[in-house]
């Protein structure tokens, strides 16, 4: 019998999971998530049965085996990830698809396991030829069934938990704590001053603004408050006694809000228009209401200063780029140990999520007396701390939520529009420009691109090099379609400047298995006085092509113009993506901006 080979792609994980206990020297693929079990360790983390398949040296799949892992480790143990000696550097390459769905009673058909579906409907929910399971049609793990225009999207419920907290500790709390403990831990009952048109929440000290959308819905929306507590209740009901080591739970985990949504997944076709999404890589969060997050600052004892940092002092350790840190997810961390920040694979917020602004507020209760400096550790573990002196740090798994980047060009345009709305007295006019010198000041239109040309520099006869002519086209198979350039005119207090952003190609995958745009800086040019636009702008476009988009070289090639490069940047305080990049670009044009309060309802 011929066995198909598995196609792999790079996807390095930063955690060495020391408690997996897989046979050394062999490779195993995470294939499926099974049941939740009672946790007999002392760290207060749910345990999950993870199904593996042996990956033979010839690239074919072998026998099944299971291991128990902490629920907080599922961000590392992504379905398809390949593990050898506790470390993962590769994953199975699945097809990527994006679906438009609606979280409502009409199109969210609920959840079902393969066993339940076969009993009720007859055919197999997951055909064996698509993604064979150990129990085949008898598998009891729940899947979310979401209808879309051409069929259904099937997602394992434990994978959908990735759409809840970016911080895995939130998911641990939601699946383990009583609801009154959830409310206290996530500050859902901390008094806040209402604000018209916004949902105001108090953000716990170690949670980032990525969690604001979920926390706002848990605090203010009935659907989330009614639905989310059922997850823990269902787990407890199925597990029964905490001492029952044989009990298994297969919880239903579905959307925490209602409305239109998009989900991007990696997985396999199962036939008849159905797609099995095994890895979620992007999803929608609600676009409204705007969210205001409050960070509490407390007076420092004996001083007049305030700080958001809690006492006892906490030592945080971020991993170096290529560092792999050992994590024992069946152990409990020490009370006095450092916190090791373990990054899970990033995930994207699709579309334009509700804007989130961060504000500080003064508290009245002083911080506690400083305690001893936490000790460094050589290994870490998730969950609640217990005891001390074991040398075990606390592992905190966090998945970075990236705003969907529509590309550097559209991100810059979005940032410029936001700054114009925020500072109308500074930016008096904003318009996109085409190569035909046509200005469009309609900010609701998508910006248009001017095409780069293979022609010689006007007035000098300089010709493009062979390398530049090759770079000029995004796709060598489409030589009639040259790269475009966004040209933006900005007016401020009587002066005019221009911004240039070159169109990027998407390359990859990189070592983390991600597709990324080419990285280029932008160019800011102050408009020369008494010189017509058509006399200098075509020459700028020539030198952009001649220098293959490297704007620092472009600026050096046009010394008769006041031209400077600017870099793409991001900030935790950005309300919309592209805001920091736009600010950098405008400052290169000599514009100065006053300190202002972020807009609650930012333009999309």
């Amino acid at each position: 019998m011929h066995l198909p080979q598995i196609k792999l792609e790079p996807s390095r994980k930063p955690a060495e999971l020391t408690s997996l206990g897989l046979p050394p020297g062999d490779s195993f693929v995470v294939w499926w998530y099974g049941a939740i079990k009672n946790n007999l360790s002392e760290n207060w983390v749910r345990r999950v049965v993870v199904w593996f398949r042996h990956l033979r040296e010839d690239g074919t799949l072998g026998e099944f085996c299971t291991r128990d892992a902490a629920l907080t480790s599922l961000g590392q143990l992504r379905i398809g990830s390949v593990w050898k000696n506790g470390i993962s550097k590769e994953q199975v390459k699945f097809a990527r698809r994006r679906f438009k769905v609606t979280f409502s009673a009409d199109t969210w058909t609920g959840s079902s396991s393969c066993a339940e579906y076969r009993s009720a409907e007859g055919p197999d929910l997951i055909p064996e030829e698509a993604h064979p399971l150990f129990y085949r049609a008898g598998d009891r793990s729940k899947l979310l069934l979401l209808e879309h225009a051409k069929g259904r999207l099937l997602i394992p419920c434990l994978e959908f938990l990735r759409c809840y907290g970016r911080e895995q500790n939130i998911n641990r709390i939601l699946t383990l704590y009583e609801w009154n403990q959830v409310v206290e831990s996530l500050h859902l009952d901390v008094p806040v001053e209402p604000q018209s048109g916004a949902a105001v929440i108090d953000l716990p000290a170690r949670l980032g603004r990525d969690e604001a959308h979920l926390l706002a819905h848990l605090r203010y929306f009935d659907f989330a408050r009614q639905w989310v507590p059922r997850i823990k209740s269902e787990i407890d009901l199925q597990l029964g006694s905490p001492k029952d080591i044989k009990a298994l739970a297969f919880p239903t985990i579905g959307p925490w809000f209602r409305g239109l949504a998009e989900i991007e997944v990696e997985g396999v076709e199962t036939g008849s228009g159905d797609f099995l999404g095994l890895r979620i890589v992007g999803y929608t969060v609600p676009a409204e209401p705007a969210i205001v997050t409050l960070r509490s600052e407390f007076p420092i004892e004996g001083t007049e200063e305030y700080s958001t940092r809690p006492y006892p002092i906490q030592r945080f350790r971020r991993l170096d780029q290529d560092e792999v840190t050992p994590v024992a997810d069946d152990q409990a961390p020490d009370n006095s140990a450092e916190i090791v920040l373990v990054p899970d694979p990033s995930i994207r917020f699709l579309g334009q999520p509700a804007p989130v602004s961060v504000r500080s507020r003064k508290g009245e209760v002083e911080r506690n007396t400083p305690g001893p400096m936490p000790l460094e550790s050589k290994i870490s573990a998730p969950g609640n701390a217990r005891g001390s002196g074991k040398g075990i740090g606390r592992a905190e798994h966090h998945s970075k939520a990236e705003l969907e980047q529509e590309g550097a060009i559209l991100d810059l345009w979005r940032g410029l529009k936001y700054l114009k709305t925020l500072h109308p007295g500074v930016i008096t006019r904003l318009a996109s420009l085409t190569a035909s010198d046509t200005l469009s000041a309609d900010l609701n239109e998508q910006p248009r691109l001017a095409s780069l040309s293979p022609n010689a520099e006007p007035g000098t006869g300089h010709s493009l090099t062979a390398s530049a002519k090759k770079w000029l086209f995004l796709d060598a198979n489409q030589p009639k379609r040259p790269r475009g350039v966004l040209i933006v005119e900005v007016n401020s207090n009587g002066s005019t400047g221009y911004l240039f952003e070159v169109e990027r190609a998407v390359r990859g995958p990189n070592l983390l298995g991600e597709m990324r745009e080419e990285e280029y800086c932008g160019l800011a040019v102050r408009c020369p006085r008494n010189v017509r636009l058509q006399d200098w702008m075509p020459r700028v476009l020539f030198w952009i092509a001649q220098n293959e988009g490297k704007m620092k070289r472009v600026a050096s090639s046009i010394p008769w113009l006041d031209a400077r490069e600017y870099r793409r940047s991001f900030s935790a305080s950005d309300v919309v993506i592209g805001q920091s990049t736009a600010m950098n670009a405008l400052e290169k044009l000599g514009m100065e901006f006053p300190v202002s309060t972020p807009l609650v309802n930012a333009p999309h």
Side-chain angles (χ1 to χ4, degrees), residues 22-343:
L22 293 168
D26 289 341
S27 296
F28 295 84
V29 180
V30 176
W31 198 250
W32 195 243
Y33 297 144
I36 285 180
K37 301 174 65 176
N38 276 316
N39 181 12
L40 300 182
S41 66
E42 299 177 339
N43 62 1
W44 270 61
V45 183
R46 297 283 191 187
R47 304 291 291 179
V48 177
V49 177
V50 178
W51 284 95
F52 292 85
R53 293 192 70 179
H54 181 225
L55 181 61
R56 302 187 181 100
E57 292 185 0
D58 63 0
T60 61
L61 293 170
E63 64 278 6
F64 288 86
C65 66
T66 64
R67 292 295 186 273
D68 293 352
L71 182 139
T72 51
S73 294
L74 295 190
Q76 300 290 306
L77 291 166
R78 302 300 305 281
I79 293 178
S81 58
V82 179
W83 292 81
K84 182 177 181 180
N85 299 328
I87 295 174
S88 177
K89 298 180 180 179
E90 297 177 302
Q91 66 181 12
V92 175
K93 186 175 183 179
F94 292 128
R96 180 174 290 201
R97 299 286 187 272
R98 184 162 171 167
F99 298 94
K100 292 182 178 181
V101 297
T102 303
F103 295 156
S104 70
D106 294 335
T107 53
W108 172 26
T109 58
S111 66
S112 177
S113 66
C114 292
E116 292 171 337
Y117 190 83
R118 189 174 192 182
S119 175
E121 303 292 335
D124 291 347
L125 185 59
I126 303 177
E128 188 169 351
E129 61 271 18
H131 193 77
L133 304 179
F134 181 81
Y135 289 114
R136 298 181 171 83
D139 190 271
R140 292 189 288 162
S141 296
K142 292 289 184 67
L143 294 102
L144 189 64
L145 312 182
L146 296 166
E147 294 180 3
H148 59 86
K150 297 181 180 179
R152 294 178 305 180
L153 172 61
L154 285 59
I155 301 176
C157 281
L158 282 176
E159 174 64 16
F160 196 79
L161 192 62
R162 185 164 162 79
C163 295
Y164 278 63
R166 308 277 51 74
E167 172 66 55
Q168 286 291 344
N169 194 47
I170 289 182
N171 298 332
R172 180 185 76 91
I173 289 171
L174 293 177
T175 57
L176 187 65
Y177 284 18
E178 298 296 338
W179 188 246
N180 63 320
Q181 296 174 302
V182 172
V183 170
E184 180 181 358
S185 298
L186 302 182
H187 291 197
L188 302 181
D189 60 348
V190 173
V192 295
E193 184 176 347
Q195 181 171 330
S196 176
V200 184
I201 63 172
D202 187 86
L203 199 60
R206 292 206 308 275
L207 295 186
R209 56 187 289 170
D210 298 339
E211 317 294 357
H213 304 89
L214 174 63
L215 298 189
H217 274 251
L218 289 177
R219 179 165 186 145
Y220 292 109
F221 289 81
D222 291 340
F223 180 78
R225 291 203 304 264
Q226 293 169 5
W227 167 254
V228 176
R230 297 178 187 175
I231 300 174
K232 192 260 184 186
S233 299
E234 185 179 10
I235 294 173
D236 288 347
L237 181 64
Q238 294 182 30
L239 289 181
S241 170
K243 297 182 180 180
D244 187 350
I245 61 174
K246 296 183 179 181
L248 304 174
F250 301 94
T252 300
I253 302 173
W256 45 268
F257 68 94
R258 290 183 290 189
L260 298 176
E262 287 190 90
I263 301 181
E264 189 170 8
V265 295
E266 295 174 339
V268 295
E269 301 279 357
T270 63
S272 302
D274 288 356
F275 190 88
L276 176 60
L278 296 168
R279 294 193 296 254
I280 296 175
V281 294
Y283 67 98
T284 298
V285 294
E288 56 184 19
I291 302 170
V292 175
T293 62
L294 303 178
R295 288 283 195 191
S296 295
E297 295 184 341
F298 301 99
I300 301 175
E301 186 177 11
T303 73
E304 297 181 356
E305 299 179 356
Y306 284 75
S307 175
T308 59
R309 297 187 64 183
Y311 278 143
I313 295 173
Q314 295 174 326
R315 182 201 299 269
F316 292 89
R317 180 160 65 88
R318 298 183 183 275
L319 304 184
D320 294 333
Q321 184 174 357
D322 298 321
E323 183 178 357
V324 176
T325 185
V327 177
D329 69 7
D330 59 347
Q331 301 294 316
D334 289 344
N335 279 302
S336 58
E338 66 179 352
I339 295 173
V340 182
L341 303 176
V342 183

Side-chain angles (χ1 to χ4, degrees), residues 386-404:
R386 187 178 181 87
S388 59
K390 304 187 298 293
I392 302 178
R394 184 161 76 245
E396 290 193 354
H397 294 262
H398 179 81
S399 174
K400 180 182 178 182
E402 299 179 344
L403 291 175
E404 183 176 26

Side-chain angles (χ1 to χ4, degrees), residues 558-589:
I558 49 175
W560 63 89
L561 291 174
D562 184 358
R564 304 179 185 184
E565 68 167 344
Y566 62 85
R567 297 182 179 276
R568 197 175 189 193
S569 61
F570 305 89
S571 170
S573 62
D574 286 352
V575 175
V576 299
I577 195 167
Q579 179 181 343
S580 288
T581 302
M583 182 70 77
N584 286 344
L586 296 177
E587 288 177 347
K588 295 292 184 179
L589 294 177

Side-chain angles (χ1 to χ4, degrees), residues 296-588:
S296 295
E297 295 184 341
F298 301 99
I300 301 175
E301 186 177 11
T303 73
E304 297 181 356
E305 299 179 356
Y306 284 75
S307 175
T308 59
R309 297 187 64 183
Y311 278 143
I313 295 173
Q314 295 174 326
R315 182 201 299 269
F316 292 89
R317 180 160 65 88
R318 298 183 183 275
L319 304 184
D320 294 333
Q321 184 174 357
D322 298 321
E323 183 178 357
V324 176
T325 185
V327 177
D329 69 7
D330 59 347
Q331 301 294 316
D334 289 344
N335 279 302
S336 58
E338 66 179 352
I339 295 173
V340 182
L341 303 176
V342 183
D344 286 340
S346 61
I347 194 166
R348 295 203 319 282
F349 284 159
L350 303 181
Q352 182 66 25
V356 178
S357 58
V358 181
R359 299 177 185 173
S360 61
R361 63 172 178 175
K362 297 293 189 291
E364 297 180 356
V365 180
E366 291 187 351
R367 298 192 302 170
N368 298 326
T369 303
M373 176 63 72
L375 302 176
E376 294 185 12
S377 59
K378 295 183 178 180
I379 193 169
S380 61
N384 288 356
R386 187 178 181 87
S388 59
K390 304 187 298 293
I392 302 178
R394 184 161 76 245
E396 290 193 354
H397 294 262
H398 179 81
S399 174
K400 180 182 178 182
E402 299 179 344
L403 291 175
E404 183 176 26
Q405 297 178 17
E406 300 179 72
I409 287 175
L410 293 182
D411 292 346
L412 173 69
W413 184 245
R414 181 184 295 164
L416 289 170
K417 289 197 300 180
Y418 173 73
L419 290 179
K420 185 181 186 306
T421 305
L422 189 62
H423 301 286
V426 178
I427 304 175
T428 54
R429 176 179 166 82
L430 190 64
S432 59
L433 185 71
T434 66
S436 60
D437 298 340
T438 303
L439 285 167
S440 175
D442 186 351
L443 300 186
N444 294 318
E445 288 186 3
Q446 292 283 54
R448 293 172 287 174
L449 303 184
S451 295
L452 291 173
S453 170
N455 297 333
E457 181 185 13
T460 66
H462 292 142
S463 299
L464 292 180
T465 64
S467 176
K469 289 179 179 178
K470 182 178 180 180
W471 173 89
L472 191 64
F473 301 97
L474 288 172
D475 187 345
N477 297 320
Q478 297 184 26
K480 295 184 180 180
R481 200 291 202 187
R483 292 179 190 255
V485 177
L486 172 68
I487 306 174
V488 178
E489 181 187 87
V490 187
N491 297 108
S492 176
N493 299 323
S495 63
T496 302
Y498 291 87
L499 304 177
F500 297 82
E501 280 280 349
V502 70
E503 188 176 6
R504 278 88 158 160
V506 177
R507 310 295 189 197
N510 60 15
L511 292 178
L512 297 178
E514 302 166 329
M515 303 294 291
R516 294 288 186 181
E517 274 192 332
E518 296 173 314
E519 294 185 3
Y520 292 106
C521 295
L523 184 71
V525 179
R526 296 194 190 192
C527 186
R529 295 183 181 276
N530 304 320
V531 180
R532 295 182 306 170
L533 201 64
Q534 57 266 35
D535 291 337
W536 65 268
M537 186 167 289
R539 299 182 66 185
V540 172
L541 295 178
F542 169 82
W543 285 107
I544 288 176
Q546 181 74 303
N547 290 286
E548 301 177 21
K550 299 177 178 64
M551 296 305 188
K552 188 173 184 178
R553 295 183 184 177
V554 175
S556 299
S557 302
I558 49 175
W560 63 89
L561 291 174
D562 184 358
R564 304 179 185 184
E565 68 167 344
Y566 62 85
R567 297 182 179 276
R568 197 175 189 193
S569 61
F570 305 89
S571 170
S573 62
D574 286 352
V575 175
V576 299
I577 195 167
Q579 179 181 343
S580 288
T581 302
M583 182 70 77
N584 286 344
L586 296 177
E587 288 177 347
K588 295 292 184 179

